C-alpha cells in the first residue's frame, strides 16, 4: 500500500441483507468514478450495487493509484487493472490509465467472496489464501461461509448458534449483562444428554432456562450502599460529637473518695485524663471545658488531690481550687533532712523514724541522687509543696523532692555556672545551704554569699554558728565558747573551708546567690536583730556590732525572751 490515499476496505456483507441495493449519498454526489468526472463519488456507499470506487487523490506526490474496492469484476485479485494484480507484467494499467502497482504480499490471484455475483472485495484472509465463492473452495481449500452451505451457519462445520438466515452470531450473553447472568461453574458449557438420549448444552446456552441474578445483585448493591451510608453517618456523628457536641459529663458533686495525683508539667488536658482514669469525671473533655470557663483554673497545681467519684467537670475544678482538697506537704527553705523526714512521717501517719530509716537503707540510685551527693539526701530535698495521699510511700515522696531539685539544678545550669565561679556543683549547694541558714532578708542573700567567697579566698575560718548547730542537731541563736570547740567536720570554727556537705536544703534564691555573689569587700556580718544585719570589712567595727547583738539578746531575756 502507498502511504497516502488508501482507505480501509469495507466489511463483507450478504446479498440477503435487507439494505442490499439501497443507495445512500450522505449528501454527496453518488456518481461513480469513471463516469466522466474524476472527482465524483467522494465516499463509497456500503449498500450500493457494487459499482463504487474510491477515487485516486491528487496533491500527494502527484496522482497515486488507489485500491479498487468495487470493480466491475468484483474483488479482482488477478484481473487486469487491479492493484493486487500479481499476474500482469509491466505496462498493465487500470481503467483510469494509471500503471498497475503490484502487491508484494499477494501470492496470486484470489477470487473474492462475491466475485461470481456482485464483485465485492474479500477482506479477511483465511489460511494461506482466500476462500472462493459460496460452495466453491478457494486457493487454500477452505469453503466460503454461506447460510445452509458447507462452512456456513447451520451447515456442516458451521456454528450452531448462528442465525440460519443471516449467519449472525451475537456471541455469548449479548442480550444480558454478564453481571446478571446465571452461570454454573460446575457445568460450564459442556454437553450432556437428557433422558431422551438427545444431546443438549448445559450452562448459559443449554436447554435449561437461565437463572436470573437480578434480585440478588440488586440486594447486594443495596446492602453495599446501606453500609456506606451507615459508615458515613457514624463518622459524621463522631465528627459532630468531637467538635460540636458537649463532652460527656456527670451531674452533681459526686460521692465516695478518690485520690488523684497530678504530675509536674501536666496541662489541663493531662489533668482531665488523670481524673477520667480515676473515675472522677466522665470524660477529660468535660473537665477541660469547665476549666476553660473558670478563670482561676490556672491556679491548679501539680500534686495529690482528695476528690470524689463521678463529679461533674465544674465540681471537680471547684474542689481542686479548694486548698482543703490538696493533701499538701510543705517543705520550707532551710529545713534539714531530719526535719523533712519527720514531716513525711507525720503526714503519712507513719511511726516516727520510718522515713529516715528508709532513706538510710536506700541506695543513692534508688533515690535518684547524683554521684557527688555521696548517698546523702541533705541539700537535695528541694523546698516546695508536695501532694501526698494516704497510700503514698515514704521513698516515693523523697524521690519527688529529689527529682524537683534536679529539675531546679538543670534550670539554672548548676554545673556550667559553678565552673564559671571556680566551684563544683557540690560546693555551690553547700554555699547555698550556708546562705539559706544565715540570710534573712532578700537583699542579704547576695551579701552573705560575698562574705563566704571573700573568706574562702583569704583562707579565713568561716566561723558560722549555723554549722555548729547542724553538727549538734539543734537550732539556736546562742553559741558559747564551748560550742565553738565541738569536734565535728561541720564545725567551721575549727575547720577551714567549707563543711563536707550542705547543712540544709536550700531553695532557688539561695542557689542563685551562691552562683552570683554581690560585689563587695565584706569579711564580717552579724544580725543584731531581725531586719538589722550589718556587713563590714573591719574587725573593730564587727566587734562593736557583736556587742550590739549581745545587748539585744539580754533585752529578750529580761522580757522573758
Amino acid at each position: 500500500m502507498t502511504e497516502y490515499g488508501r482507505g480501509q476496505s469495507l466489511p463483507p456483507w450478504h446479498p440477503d441483507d435487507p439494505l442490499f441495493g439501497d443507495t445512500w449519498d450522505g449528501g454527496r454526489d453518488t456518481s461513480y468514478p469513471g463516469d466522466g468526472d474524476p472527482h465524483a463519488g467522494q465516499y463509497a456507499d456500503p449498500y450500493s450495487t457494487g459499482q463504487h470506487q474510491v477515487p485516486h487523490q491528487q496533491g500527494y506526490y502527484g496522482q497515486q493509484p488507489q485500491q479498487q474496492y468495487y470493480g466491475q469484476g468484483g474483488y479482482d485479485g488477478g484481473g487486469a487493472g487491479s492493484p493486487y494484480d500479481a499476474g500482469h507484467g509491466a505496462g498493465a494499467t487500470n481503467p483510469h490509465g494509471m500503471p498497475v502497482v503490484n502487491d508484494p504480499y499477494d501470492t496470486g490471484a484470489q477470487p473474492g467472496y462475491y466475485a461470481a455475483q456482485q464483485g465485492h472485495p474479500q477482506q479477511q484472509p483465511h489460511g494461506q489464501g482466500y476462500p472462493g465463492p459460496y460452495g466453491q473452495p478457494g486457493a487454500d481449500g477452505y469453503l466460503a461461509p454461506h447460510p445452509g452451505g458447507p462452512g456456513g451457519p447451520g451447515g456442516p462445520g458451521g456454528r450452531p448458534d448462528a442465525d440460519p438466515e443471516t449467519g449472525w452470531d451475537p456471541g455469548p450473553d449479548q442480550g444480558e449483562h454478564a453481571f446478571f447472568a446465571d452461570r454454573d461453574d460446575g457445568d460450564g458449557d459442556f454437553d450432556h444428554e437428557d433422558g431422551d438420549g438427545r444431546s443438549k448444552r448445559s450452562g448459559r446456552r443449554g436447554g435449561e432456562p437461565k437463572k436470573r441474578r437480578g434480585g440478588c445483585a440488586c440486594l447486594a448493591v443495596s446492602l453495599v450502599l446501606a453500609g456506606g451510608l451507615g459508615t458515613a453517618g457514624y463518622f459524621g456523628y463522631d465528627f459532630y460529637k468531637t467538635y460540636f457536641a458537649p463532652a460527656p459529663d456527670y451531674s452533681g458533686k459526686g460521692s465516695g473518695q478518690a485520690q488523684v495525683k497530678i504530675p509536674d508539667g501536666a496541662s489541663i488536658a493531662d489533668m482531665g485524663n488523670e481524673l477520667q482514669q480515676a473515675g472522677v469525671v466522665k470524660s477529660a473533655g468535660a473537665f477541660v471545658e469547665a476549666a476553660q470557663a473558670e478563670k482561676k483554673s490556672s491556679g491548679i497545681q501539680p500534686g495529690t488531690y482528695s476528690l470524689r467519684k463521678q463529679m461533674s467537670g465544674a465540681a471537680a475544678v471547684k474542689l481542686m481550687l479548694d486548698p482543703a482538697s490538696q493533701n499538701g506537704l510543705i517543705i520550707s527553705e532551710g529545713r534539714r533532712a531530719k526535719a523533712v523526714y519527720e514531716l513525711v512521717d507525720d503526714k503519712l501517719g507513719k511511726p516516727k523514724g520510718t522515713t529516715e530509716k528508709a532513706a538510710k537503707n536506700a541506695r543513692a540510685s534508688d533515690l535518684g541522687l547524683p554521684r557527688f551527693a555521696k548517698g546523702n539526701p541533705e541539700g537535695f530535698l528541694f523546698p516546695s509543696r508536695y501532694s501526698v495521699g494516704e497510700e503514698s510511700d515514704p521513698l516515693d515522696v523523697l524521690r519527688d523532692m529529689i527529682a524537683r531539685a534536679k529539675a531546679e539544678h538543670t534550670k539554672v545550669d548548676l554545673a556550667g555556672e559553678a565552673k564559671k565561679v571556680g566551684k563544683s556543683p557540690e560546693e555551690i549547694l553547700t554555699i547555698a545551704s550556708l546562705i539559706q541558714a544565715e540570710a534573712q532578708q532578700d537583699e542579704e542573700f547576695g551579701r552573705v554569699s560575698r562574705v563566704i567567697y571573700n573568706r574562702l579566698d583569704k583562707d579565713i575560718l568561716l566561723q558560722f554558728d549555723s554549722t555548729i548547730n547542724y553538727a549538734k542537731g539543734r537550732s539556736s541563736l546562742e553559741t558559747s565558747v564551748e560550742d565553738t570547740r565541738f569536734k565535728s567536720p561541720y564545725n567551721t570554727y575549727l575547720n577551714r573551708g567549707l563543711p563536707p556537705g550542705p547543712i540544709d536544703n536550700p531553695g532557688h534564691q539561695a542557689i542563685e546567690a551562691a552562683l552570683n555573689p554581690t560585689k563587695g569587700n565584706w569579711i564580717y556580718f552579724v544580725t543584731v536583730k531581725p531586719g538589722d544585719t550589718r556587713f563590714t570589712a573591719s574587725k573593730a567595727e564587727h566587734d562593736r556590732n557583736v556587742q550590739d547583738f549581745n545587748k539585744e539578746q539580754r533585752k529578750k531575756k529580761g522580757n522573758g525572751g
Side-chain angles (χ1 to χ4, degrees):
M1 297 175 62
T2 58
E3 295 183 13
Y4 299 94
R6 290 291 179 129
Q8 294 183 355
S9 299
L10 295 177
W13 49 271
H14 195 274
D16 292 336
D17 189 326
L19 295 181
F20 174 72
D22 291 348
T23 59
W24 173 74
D25 58 8
R28 299 285 186 175
D29 184 3
T30 57
S31 59
Y32 306 135
D35 291 342
D37 184 359
H39 301 288
Q42 295 295 323
Y43 297 93
D45 182 357
Y47 299 107
S48 67
T49 58
Q51 301 300 320
H52 286 208
Q53 288 184 347
V54 176
H56 59 269
Q57 295 184 4
Q58 298 181 4
Y60 291 97
Y61 307 101
Q63 294 183 352
Q64 298 192 17
Q66 306 298 314
Q67 176 183 356
Q68 181 177 347
Y69 281 34
Y70 298 87
Q72 296 296 329
Y75 184 84
D76 194 336
S82 170
Y84 296 96
D85 184 5
H88 290 79
T93 62
N94 62 13
H96 295 283
M98 300 298 295
V100 173
V101 180
N102 294 332
D103 187 351
Y105 298 101
D106 190 5
T107 58
Q110 302 293 337
Y113 274 116
Y114 310 112
Q117 299 179 10
Q118 295 297 331
H120 288 271
Q122 158 71 19
Q123 277 194 307
Q124 301 296 334
H126 190 84
Q128 297 294 325
Y130 296 91
Y134 289 130
Q136 299 181 17
D140 60 356
Y142 286 89
L143 295 177
H146 187 278
R159 292 179 57 85
D161 295 332
D163 188 287
E165 296 295 331
T166 65
W168 166 250
D169 177 15
D173 297 328
Q174 293 294 326
E176 178 179 73
H177 194 284
F179 179 76
F180 297 100
D182 184 19
R183 179 169 184 174
D184 189 349
D185 292 336
D187 293 335
D189 290 332
F190 296 103
D191 292 339
H192 68 278
E193 293 185 359
D194 57 11
D196 301 351
R198 292 177 297 177
S199 175
K200 66 178 181 178
R201 183 171 297 225
S202 62
R204 294 179 299 178
R205 301 194 184 113
E208 298 179 2
K210 294 182 179 180
K211 298 179 182 178
R212 301 290 180 175
R213 290 184 181 175
C216 295
C218 292
L219 177 60
V221 172
S222 300
L223 291 175
V224 171
L225 292 176
L229 292 175
T231 302
Y234 171 79
F235 285 105
Y237 178 65
D238 184 66
F239 179 83
Y240 168 77
K241 289 195 304 179
T242 302
Y243 295 99
F244 299 101
D249 197 5
Y250 293 122
S251 60
K253 298 181 179 180
S255 61
Q257 293 290 328
Q259 287 193 349
V260 181
K261 183 177 180 180
I262 303 299
D264 292 339
S267 64
I268 292 295
D270 295 334
M271 295 180 186
N273 290 330
E274 294 290 341
L275 295 179
Q276 180 181 351
Q277 293 177 6
V280 175
V281 296
K282 192 170 185 178
S283 67
F287 177 80
V288 172
E289 291 176 0
Q292 291 174 344
E294 174 57 61
K295 296 180 179 179
K296 297 181 180 179
S297 63
S298 59
I300 300 177
Q301 300 295 323
T304 302
Y305 292 83
S306 294
L307 304 173
R308 293 185 287 272
K309 296 280 188 178
Q310 298 186 356
M311 303 179 69
S312 68
V317 171
K318 184 177 180 180
L319 186 55
M320 292 180 74
L321 289 172
D322 185 354
S325 70
Q326 305 172 20
N327 294 325
L329 172 62
I330 298 176
I331 306 299
S332 59
E333 290 85 349
R335 281 194 178 271
R336 299 170 187 164
K338 186 176 181 64
V340 174
Y341 298 152
E342 292 174 356
L343 289 173
V344 173
D345 288 341
D346 183 65
K347 191 66 178 180
L348 298 181
K350 302 292 184 181
K352 187 177 181 178
T354 301
T355 303
E356 182 177 8
K357 182 178 180 181
K360 288 182 178 179
N361 293 334
R363 296 178 299 179
S365 57
D366 293 337
L367 292 172
L369 290 169
R371 292 181 180 179
F372 65 83
K374 301 175 183 177
N376 185 7
E378 193 74 82
F380 296 90
L381 305 177
F382 195 76
S384 184
R385 180 186 177 279
Y386 297 92
S387 293
V388 296
E390 297 176 357
E391 299 180 357
S392 298
D393 183 80
L395 282 181
D396 289 338
V397 178
L398 296 180
R399 289 190 190 99
D400 288 345
M401 296 178 183
I402 295 171
R404 187 76 62 83
K406 292 176 67 175
E408 172 66 21
H409 300 165
T410 301
K411 180 180 178 181
V412 300
D413 188 16
L414 180 62
E417 295 299 318
K419 188 175 182 180
K420 291 180 181 179
V421 294
K423 305 297 181 184
S424 67
E426 181 184 7
E427 290 174 330
I428 291 296
L429 290 180
T430 301
I431 293 173
S433 70
L434 296 176
I435 297 171
Q436 192 74 70
E438 298 288 344
Q440 298 182 16
Q441 304 296 324
D442 290 343
E443 65 273 10
E444 296 175 7
F445 279 77
R447 292 185 178 187
V448 172
S449 178
R450 175 52 62 189
V451 170
I452 296 173
Y453 274 89
N454 288 343
R455 281 183 169 257
L456 292 175
D457 291 342
K458 296 179 180 297
D459 197 23
I460 301 174
L461 291 169
L462 292 178
Q463 296 182 336
F464 282 2
D465 294 348
S466 56
T467 60
I468 294 177
N469 288 334
Y470 183 80
K472 299 188 74 168
R474 69 180 190 183
S475 295
S476 176
L477 293 177
E478 294 183 3
T479 302
S480 65
V481 175
E482 184 178 355
D483 291 336
T484 60
R485 296 172 181 169
F486 181 74
K487 291 184 178 181
S488 171
Y490 286 90
N491 186 350
T492 55
Y493 279 87
L494 295 177
N495 303 289
R496 295 182 182 277
L498 293 171
I503 63 173
D504 57 40
N505 293 280
H508 175 77
Q509 188 177 16
I511 294 175
E512 286 285 359
L515 293 170
N516 302 283
T518 303
K519 293 182 179 181
N521 61 349
W522 308 295
I523 301 296
Y524 309 96
F525 73 93
V526 61
T527 300
V528 176
K529 56 184 178 182
D532 183 12
T533 300
R534 302 173 185 179
F535 295 85
T536 182
S538 171
K539 179 66 169 62
E541 185 177 355
H542 175 65
D543 290 342
R544 290 193 295 271
N545 292 334
V546 171
Q547 292 176 2
D548 293 340
F549 169 78
N550 291 332
K551 290 179 182 180
E552 289 294 327
Q553 294 301 312
R554 287 193 294 268
K555 289 180 182 180
K556 289 182 179 181
K557 288 181 180 181
N559 295 330

